[in-house]
Amino acid sequence: MRSRECRPEPSGRRGALHRRQAWTPPVDIEQHAGQMHIRTDLPGVSKQDVQIEILRDQLIIEGERRAGAGGQQTARHRAECNYGHFYRVITLPAGVDPDSAQASMHDGVLDVSFRMAAAPGTVRRLDIQGG
């Protein structure tokens, strides 16, 4: 089975996009103050060109970075930046509440945040109520 066939297709609209070559944007995953933050560097990408989906325990980030200066042809002397379709699947760690997901984008950085549930195995003492 080829890797393209192993990718989840949550919305059924991905056929043509999956056949194109995709680049993978870098991510940072951090946890602090009861929140999980997944930050993705997407310089030059507008929020209208990004789709975010959550499927079971996976965060899927997909979109496109457009090349060129307004459709003008240019003679490239060096091309180190990735353009075109991008696709990234991140498995969410245990304890993430997928229903709490929020996304924001500032200065080319996409930030998807989640609330964290209590860590598995955490001891919680209960007070006994009543007489």
Side-chain angles (χ1 to χ4, degrees), residues 27-80:
V27 299
D28 287 337
I29 301 173
E30 300 173 349
Q31 180 179 344
H32 55 86
Q35 295 276 316
M36 173 71 61
H37 290 270
I38 299 174
R39 293 187 181 91
T40 307
D41 283 343
L42 297 172
V45 178
S46 70
K47 66 180 183 178
Q48 292 81 11
D49 291 327
V50 180
Q51 297 84 43
I52 304 167
E53 295 179 347
I54 299 170
L55 177 65
R56 293 182 289 279
D57 65 341
Q58 294 183 323
L59 173 67
I60 301 164
I61 301 170
E62 181 173 25
E64 186 168 349
R65 181 176 8 202
R66 301 178 197 288
Q72 300 173 354
Q73 285 196 324
T74 59
R76 291 191 193 267
H77 294 274
R78 173 172 282 179
E80 294 182 1

Side-chain angles (χ1 to χ4, degrees), residues 1-121:
M1 192 177 247
R2 293 180 300 207
S3 64
R4 179 177 63 226
E5 295 168 344
C6 295
R7 289 183 180 168
E9 296 195 9
S11 64
R13 62 178 164 74
R14 306 241 186 271
L17 292 177
H18 281 287
R19 285 190 285 278
R20 293 189 290 179
Q21 185 67 23
W23 60 277
T24 305
V27 299
D28 287 337
I29 301 173
E30 300 173 349
Q31 180 179 344
H32 55 86
Q35 295 276 316
M36 173 71 61
H37 290 270
I38 299 174
R39 293 187 181 91
T40 307
D41 283 343
L42 297 172
V45 178
S46 70
K47 66 180 183 178
Q48 292 81 11
D49 291 327
V50 180
Q51 297 84 43
I52 304 167
E53 295 179 347
I54 299 170
L55 177 65
R56 293 182 289 279
D57 65 341
Q58 294 183 323
L59 173 67
I60 301 164
I61 301 170
E62 181 173 25
E64 186 168 349
R65 181 176 8 202
R66 301 178 197 288
Q72 300 173 354
Q73 285 196 324
T74 59
R76 291 191 193 267
H77 294 274
R78 173 172 282 179
E80 294 182 1
C81 298
N82 292 306
Y83 292 97
H85 179 248
F86 60 86
Y87 184 85
R88 186 74 192 248
V89 177
I90 299 135
T91 300
L92 299 173
V96 167
D97 177 9
D99 294 330
S100 69
Q102 294 184 330
S104 63
M105 195 162 179
H106 301 285
D107 297 329
V109 178
L110 173 68
D111 183 0
V112 182
S113 63
F114 300 88
R115 274 193 320 265
M116 295 296 296

